Amino acid sequence: MPPPKPHPGPSNEVTEVQLTSAIEQVQWTRRTAVAGARVGLEVFTRFVGNGAPLVTRLFDASGKTFGPYQDRLLNNRLSTVVTVPDGARDTLMAEVRLPDHGLQQDSEALLLFPPVEVRNAQWSQPEARRGDVLTLTAEVTGAPDGTRAEIAILEHDSDGAHDPVTRFPAFVQQGRVEAEWAFEYHPDTDDVPTAGELETPYSHPEYFFRVQVLGIEAESPLLQFKDWVEVVLVDQRGQPVPDARYDVEFADGSTSSGTLDAEGRAVVRDVPPGPVVVRFAQKTPPSKAKAIG
């Protein structure tokens, strides 16, 4: 639709101009979907006031209709999400009407695939350590080989505000999606709140992934991050203090005890990430101690 022409008039007079309202575009945010998928629908208008009622009706290739759905415009735009009806077949179009303005426009056709199911999203192991290469899998039915999938990895938050870690594409092959991801913990573990700092129990860093195929999603179980700590004890001359007994208190309040080796070192593996406190259970010469992890 061409832009409106400027209205000529003198600069020292008030000129009333009648602006013509219009629906400029109705579009899906993707080209393909399946029944049950959530697909974005965007409507762009011109010279339509805020709060104007908008009615959307869906219809498929056979003429079967779904709706109507009621919305209101804001700033000449509507951005909403539509769930593809289970009964829709082949294609789905959106008919948008502005009843107060006598305007109507249809979207292009959204191509519908047969019903797709994504299930059993799984990590190759329930725990991850720095440098582990994990395999992510999910089973898919109804999508042909070569169908694009998307995997999103998130750090789990108990309040639902999950932090995105990364996102990457994958493809359906022989009824499954499979990808590899190298785990690294980039934040500083000193910033992990300890049990003593929280009013709620210690929250272990955990991760999950979502796999999406044609708008259908599945979520994996939680993956738990396990860290390690190296305890080192030296005297004031920098010489190792061997065979010293130690206790380590971890961020979740749990503890571990052991004995340093002949070089004054010990490595404790598979520990809760976060700050640690090291204590020695026996008297030792004046010394320096540190925990690395």
Side-chain angles (χ1 to χ4, degrees), residues 63-98:
K64 187 175 182 179
T65 61
F66 309 88
Y69 309 98
Q70 309 286 334
D71 288 289
R72 290 187 179 273
L73 282 172
L74 180 63
N75 296 328
N76 279 293
R77 180 176 180 180
L78 173 72
S79 182
T80 188
V81 175
V82 173
T83 299
V84 177
D86 289 337
R89 293 292 180 269
D90 300 327
T91 61
L92 188 69
M93 297 179 67
E95 173 196 271
V96 172
R97 292 188 299 110
L98 294 176

Side-chain angles (χ1 to χ4, degrees), residues 26-28 41 59 92-96 105-110:
V26 179
Q27 63 181 25
W28 299 106
L41 180 67
F59 59 96
L92 188 69
M93 297 179 67
E95 173 196 271
V96 172
Q105 187 165 320
D106 295 345
S107 70
E108 293 185 352
L110 177 70

